Amino acid sequence: MRLILYSVEVLIGYGPVITFWLIGIGMGLPYSIASMAEGEPVGFLLFSSLLLGSVGMWGIIQLLKKLIWRDINYPIQKYRIHLLVGCISLVIASIGFIGVNYLIPIYFVVPILVTWHLYYVCKNS
């Protein structure tokens, strides 16, 4: 039952962010490279958010593996930097979306809270 609740928490917390990340990889990556070539700061903002978000996704995958299979013998503290880099990516992305809509950055706060919660669940188990 606990695994189902954690799965629902991850789906609700990371659903919009993963959608934005996938759209960013598909459409935003070519735009960010073209913008960086022209020297526009939005290109650097988008590219760094996508790159750091990829590292953060790796950390979340490792966190979920530890939640699902508790007998895996690796410390989750080893992936703290991945999770921190993912949170930095979310902050950068929320700064980029403030100009579009003031409600969108709320989508980026929820995954930080979910990451914090699941990290301490894994750390204490």
Side-chain angles (χ1 to χ4, degrees):
M1 182 65 176
R2 186 173 56 191
L3 183 62
I4 293 172
L5 291 175
Y6 290 147
S7 300
V8 169
E9 181 180 6
V10 167
L11 284 175
I12 291 172
Y14 288 104
V17 172
I18 290 174
T19 304
F20 284 133
W21 182 70
L22 289 173
I23 290 171
I25 293 292
M27 293 175 22
L29 191 60
Y31 173 75
S32 68
I33 292 172
S35 295
M36 285 189 315
E38 293 177 6
E40 294 181 18
V42 71
F44 294 106
L45 185 75
L46 183 58
F47 186 74
S48 65
S49 180
L50 290 172
L51 185 65
L52 296 174
S54 299
V55 173
M57 288 292 176
W58 176 254
I60 292 301
I61 290 169
Q62 299 306 312
L63 187 72
L64 292 175
K65 277 177 38 180
K66 183 72 172 173
L67 272 174
I68 293 171
W69 298 287
R70 292 190 182 264
D71 57 342
I72 292 178
N73 193 15
Y74 67 86
I76 198 63
Q77 291 86 359
K78 184 172 149 181
Y79 294 101
R80 270 189 303 209
I81 191 73
H82 294 93
L83 298 173
L84 181 66
V85 166
C87 291
I88 291 170
S89 166
L90 290 170
V91 169
I92 292 171
S94 66
I95 290 169
F97 275 105
I98 283 177
V100 176
N101 188 346
Y102 290 111
L103 295 176
I104 291 178
I106 293 172
Y107 291 128
F108 296 107
V109 172
V110 174
I112 293 172
L113 297 174
V114 171
T115 301
W116 178 70
H117 174 249
L118 294 179
Y119 175 77
Y120 282 104
V121 167
C122 284
K123 185 178 173 184
N124 294 331
S125 64

